[in-house]
Amino acid sequence: MTRVYYKEAVGALVVFDVTRASTFEAVAKWKADLDSKVFLDNGENIPAVLLANKCDQVKEGLVNNADLMQDYCKEKGFISWFDTSAKENINIDAAAKRLVEQILANSHSYKAGEDDGDVISLSDTGPTTSRKGSCC
């Protein structure tokens, strides 16, 4: 994919179909493409979660062994993996939550005071005006 597709991405879900081994074989290529084209501001790769979709159906290959999947994810740089089913809504929220937690952890790790001009602080306790009366 082109760099424009990844522009300003801060996380990724990489999905393969557990019923089609060819989609799992493509995961390493997809992750390498992602890692070569998009980076966090600190130069690190963006966090990526691997989703083994259609877990409600018969699985093929490596996904049958959780320990091997864990090792595979560690080797390829995924922060985690989940058996999912979009059809049955299995582990979709858990996978998204895991990715968002990592994205937020990454955003909090940037040094305070590094302002790129595009950030607005919502916690600013600047001057407030006092209004008298009961009308808006």
Side-chain angles (χ1 to χ4, degrees):
M1 286 191 221
T2 65
R3 289 184 195 276
V4 173
Y5 184 80
Y6 298 121
K7 188 174 180 174
E8 297 186 32
V10 293
L13 297 170
V14 176
V15 184
F16 74 96
D17 181 342
V18 299
T19 67
R20 293 178 45 221
S22 63
T23 62
F24 181 74
E25 292 165 6
V27 165
K29 181 182 130 209
W30 298 333
K31 181 67 165 85
D33 186 57
L34 182 68
D35 289 347
S36 71
K37 294 179 179 168
V38 62
F39 304 93
L40 296 173
D41 289 341
N42 62 6
E44 293 181 6
N45 294 327
I46 63 170
V49 173
L50 181 60
L51 304 183
N53 196 40
K54 297 188 181 179
C55 71
D56 54 319
Q57 298 181 19
V58 176
K59 300 175 185 178
E60 290 184 11
L62 186 65
V63 77
N64 285 321
N65 186 317
D67 290 335
L68 288 177
M69 280 297 292
Q70 194 66 31
D71 292 344
Y72 178 85
C73 287
K74 190 174 188 176
E75 174 189 328
K76 300 298 181 192
F78 289 97
I79 61 169
S80 192
W81 77 279
F82 290 84
D83 269 326
T84 62
S85 170
K87 180 180 175 184
E88 300 295 329
N89 194 24
I90 298 170
N91 279 335
I92 302 299
D93 290 341
K97 181 180 179 190
R98 175 67 182 100
L99 181 59
V100 169
E101 287 171 346
Q102 187 62 50
I103 291 168
L104 291 174
N106 288 345
S107 71
H108 292 307
S109 69
Y110 298 130
K111 294 178 183 172
E114 286 185 8
D115 185 10
D116 65 4
D118 294 334
V119 178
I120 299 172
S121 175
L122 298 178
S123 62
D124 187 9
T125 57
T128 59
T129 58
S130 175
R131 241 180 156 152
K132 294 186 180 184
S134 61
C135 183
C136 40

